[in-house]
Amino acid sequence: MRRLLVIGIGAGDPEHVTAQAIRALNAVDVFFVVEKGEEKHDLVDLRREICERYIESPSFRTVEMRDPERDRSSAAYGEAVEAWRHARAEQWEATIRAELGEGECGAIMVWGDPSLYDSTLAVIEEIVAGGELELAYEVVPGISSVQALAAQHRIALNRIGRPIVITTGRRLSEGLHDGADDIVVMLDAGCAFRRFVGQPVDIYWGAYVGTPDELLVAGDLAEVADEIERVRAEARERKGWIMDTYVLRRRT
């Protein structure tokens, strides 16, 4: 039977890679790399650095899987994501069938942790549920950008007796969490934190957390919102993409 490992490799610092992940990396015959364009080539370089650092006998081979285009303009967000995941499943299944032999171990390296805002597991589950490809898979957890951000700002995510909300910038901009006291926000393309300016809220923001390009800003949201937006725009212009996470904390 073919075997596939979904390996969380941390938020960008090669030292985030766990001992469990290192053992998994050394068991791999084929690494499947999802190609996401030239603007994120430095992420490919970080994957290569991780492999060079931790794999003792580099006898593996690497196979690229091109990411299908995703319709980001559709008003039907859920349907658009499902269609994109289905297209991914079809492409990945064909590639895995062609490139991973019976008895071999393949792997997909996932930034952060595979369980948090990553579609890899949903795609693999669809392939397995289809029943056309016999595939056993395992998940190796990793350090997420949320954990790395909290560590860099030296904060705990939760406060005693209070829940935390983990959400996206899109959901935040819709006002769904206006009453929450502690909010972790990922995938914010439009600085949705601005809806809280003027309220007693602190922000702990970071971009490219764990990488050599790491950026951190923290403080009263009203005082640092403009700085975050400026730093964020400059970084996006320089690198061609932005990967940021932040915590909003209401002062009481």
Side-chain angles (χ1 to χ4, degrees):
M1 179 182 289
R2 296 173 174 91
R3 179 175 170 229
L4 186 70
L5 304 176
V6 182
I7 306 173
I9 57 172
D13 185 343
E15 294 190 359
H16 286 169
V17 178
T18 67
Q20 183 184 8
I22 292 171
R23 286 195 299 272
L25 291 170
N26 278 278
V28 174
D29 299 303
V30 184
F31 283 101
F32 294 97
V33 179
V34 181
E35 177 57 52
K36 296 191 176 184
E38 282 299 318
E39 72 275 10
K40 294 188 178 180
H41 190 71
D42 44 356
L43 295 182
V44 176
D45 291 339
L46 279 169
R47 280 193 181 93
R48 184 179 299 111
E49 180 182 348
I50 287 170
C51 289
E52 290 175 351
R53 179 181 296 204
Y54 293 118
I55 297 178
E56 296 176 1
S57 300
S59 58
F60 61 86
R61 61 189 187 277
T62 301
V63 174
E64 289 189 358
M65 298 192 296
R66 188 71 187 179
D67 222 16
E69 291 294 327
R70 177 176 160 188
D71 183 3
R72 298 182 182 273
S73 62
S74 173
Y77 176 81
E79 289 84 347
V81 171
E82 285 300 319
W84 173 67
R85 285 183 175 177
H86 181 65
R88 255 191 165 190
E90 289 184 333
Q91 290 190 19
W92 290 15
E93 180 175 349
T95 303
I96 293 169
R97 186 193 306 278
E99 300 290 346
L100 187 65
E102 290 290 339
E104 286 191 316
C105 179
I108 298 175
M109 300 165 67
V110 174
W111 289 111
D113 183 89
S115 69
L116 187 61
Y117 285 108
D118 185 84
S119 66
T120 302
L121 291 181
V123 174
I124 299 302
E125 288 167 3
E126 181 173 338
I127 293 171
V128 172
E132 297 297 321
L133 179 65
E134 192 174 6
L135 184 68
Y137 70 100
E138 301 171 30
V139 179
V140 178
I143 294 175
S144 70
S145 63
V146 175
Q147 295 163 283
L149 178 75
Q152 293 299 81
H153 281 296
R154 295 171 294 177
I155 61 171
L157 292 174
N158 66 299
R159 289 185 282 183
I160 295 174
R162 300 186 187 185
I164 60 171
V165 174
I166 302 179
T167 191
T168 64
R170 182 178 65 86
R171 304 293 280 180
L172 190 72
S173 67
E174 293 170 353
L176 297 181
H177 309 297
D178 286 358
D181 290 336
D182 296 277
I183 310 172
V184 177
V185 184
M186 306 177 72
L187 306 174
D188 183 3
C191 297
F193 54 77
R194 282 202 167 274
R195 71 179 295 107
F196 290 88
V197 170
Q199 299 183 35
V201 172
D202 293 323
I203 187 169
Y204 301 88
W205 177 87
Y208 317 112
V209 178
T211 75
D213 299 308
E214 179 179 272
L215 300 168
L216 299 170
V217 178
D220 183 306
L221 179 58
E223 296 177 0
V224 300
D226 288 344
E227 179 186 358
I228 291 172
E229 194 159 4
R230 175 184 58 78
V231 170
R232 190 179 187 280
E234 289 174 353
R236 189 182 188 100
E237 176 67 23
R238 182 174 64 254
K239 292 180 66 66
W241 59 282
I242 187 78
M243 183 169 60
D244 59 344
T245 306
Y246 57 87
V247 175
L248 296 174
R249 172 156 292 170
R250 192 178 299 277
R251 297 192 297 276
T252 57

